[in-house]
Amino acid sequence: MPNPKKPPAKRIQCLSLKMVREKPSILYPQRKISSPREAAELFRQFIGDSDRKVFCIMTLDTKNQPTALHEVSRGTLNASLVHPRETFKLAIMANAASIIACHNHPSGLPDPSREDVELTERIRDAGSLMGIELLDHLVLGENRFASMKERGLM
């Protein structure tokens, strides 16, 4: 004889996700990113002279026009926790064709560390799976920057 008692119903949350503009927009007269230097200048406006490590991304459309800047992680003087999941969250919501990643080195020296190179590879590989290309990973120093693509590190 089957048990006439049914298990209680499972409550399922109904969710929605919305993007929120957190800072005033930045005007970009060139409209299209055509070099690592142009990207670095735009990121410098966004990150500023932070005394802690800040990792962020720029989302781009199919014509390499920036659509959004997103702070992914703000860390300590010499470390920042970054994961591909958080890195691509905004890129997916913004329908990005590609991204450029950037972080600062509060020490002022823009030389990429071994950890920077490993992170770049993880982000590149994750983006490849999702169809969102990582165009470059920039490291900002005091008055200089390093492009991992130009250095052959990605």
Side-chain angles (χ1 to χ4, degrees), residues 2-117:
N3 187 352
K5 283 190 168 183
K6 289 185 178 179
K10 168 76 173 133
R11 183 169 300 278
I12 301 171
Q13 300 293 321
C14 296
L15 306 171
S16 69
L17 191 58
K18 298 177 184 175
M19 286 195 293
V20 177
R21 187 179 322 163
E22 294 182 2
K23 293 185 177 191
S25 59
I26 297 171
L27 288 177
Y28 186 63
Q30 290 88 340
R31 298 196 52 86
K32 179 180 174 180
I33 298 292
S34 56
S35 72
R37 178 167 305 287
E38 290 176 1
E41 290 169 6
L42 194 53
F43 276 118
R44 206 173 290 283
Q45 288 181 55
F46 186 64
I47 294 175
D49 294 326
S50 180
D51 62 345
R52 293 176 283 162
K53 270 197 160 184
V54 179
F55 180 87
C56 51
I57 63 165
M58 177 188 310
T59 61
L60 299 107
D61 64 15
T62 57
K63 296 178 182 177
N64 281 355
Q65 297 179 111
T67 57
L69 291 165
H70 176 60
E71 182 178 307
V72 176
S73 175
R74 184 173 290 267
T76 64
L77 178 64
N78 61 354
S80 180
L81 182 61
V82 179
H83 192 277
R85 176 182 51 243
E86 283 76 26
T87 302
F88 285 100
K89 186 187 307 183
L90 179 82
I92 291 167
M93 290 179 61
N95 293 322
S98 58
I99 64 168
I100 298 174
C102 180
H103 74 279
N104 65 329
H105 278 183
S107 68
L109 303 173
D111 300 320
S113 67
R114 181 180 52 78
E115 291 84 8
D116 294 341
V117 174

